[in-house]
Amino acid sequence: VTKCKQYNKVRRTERVNSGVLANQSLIIIIMPWPEFDKWYGLLMAQTEAGTPGGCVVWTGCISPSTGYGAITVQWPGTPRNQRTMGVHRLMVMCALHTTELSAGHHASHLCHNKLCINPAHLSLEPQWVNNQRGNCIRQHRCLGHAGYPNCVLF
């Protein structure tokens, strides 16, 4: 067990394979750009499956300010070619095989679990739809989302 210095949180794994470096702050994925299947595999190696409702829970670094899983990836065109991002956003990129998400769109958790990276529980949608999902939590039922998937409530 090691600590993620940047977030002062415990990270349960130290080294997944030669594609991952444990730099004592965040996990850095280093591989040719982009290799979505490898990214997917590396993300899944940092999870705990078999949770209620089918969530695949991220066990790596967690941002204390947001409560979301965080990861640093090699990203061409950024300072030092690295970018820290939410693991759920990276999982959506892997599922859609894209390196860009539409401006104003969020990777929304249909299950409302901030650490879930199950692609079946994630949806790329406008911010207003993502915000509506908060009402579903408060009402304890999905209220519908005009052309977007319903919430997965447990």
Side-chain angles (χ1 to χ4, degrees):
V1 176
T2 59
K3 282 211 169 201
C4 300
K5 283 185 180 176
Q6 182 173 352
Y7 293 126
N8 199 25
K9 293 285 181 178
V10 172
R11 184 169 48 83
R12 294 183 192 167
T13 58
E14 295 174 9
R15 189 173 182 93
V16 177
N17 65 29
S18 60
V20 175
L21 299 177
N23 73 345
Q24 294 192 356
S25 63
L26 293 174
I27 299 165
I28 300 177
I29 299 176
I30 299 176
M31 61 184 61
W33 179 259
E35 293 194 26
F36 300 106
D37 294 336
K38 286 184 181 179
W39 285 2
Y40 178 86
L42 292 171
L43 288 173
M44 293 304 287
Q46 296 285 321
T47 63
E48 177 182 307
T51 60
C55 288
V56 177
V57 178
W58 174 253
T59 59
C61 293
I62 299 168
S63 168
S65 61
T66 64
Y68 289 96
I71 193 165
T72 299
V73 296
Q74 187 177 32
W75 203 274
T78 58
R80 296 187 323 266
N81 287 333
Q82 294 178 0
R83 177 177 171 190
T84 300
M85 62 189 316
V87 291
H88 63 295
R89 289 183 61 83
L90 184 57
M91 183 57 83
V92 167
M93 290 178 176
C94 290
L96 298 176
H97 285 81
T98 184
T99 58
E100 297 294 327
L101 299 181
S102 302
H105 281 67
H106 290 217
S108 180
H109 288 91
L110 304 178
C111 59
H112 306 285
N113 180 346
K114 289 183 174 186
L115 295 178
C116 180
I117 63 167
N118 181 346
H121 289 189
L122 299 171
S123 174
L124 184 62
E125 55 197 27
Q127 181 178 353
W128 66 269
V129 176
N130 193 10
N131 293 344
Q132 278 184 343
R133 294 191 185 279
N135 295 328
C136 298
I137 295 171
R138 288 185 284 282
Q139 298 289 324
H140 303 289
R141 64 184 178 92
C142 185
L143 304 173
H145 302 287
Y148 294 93
N150 285 338
C151 298
V152 179
L153 299 172
F154 314 109

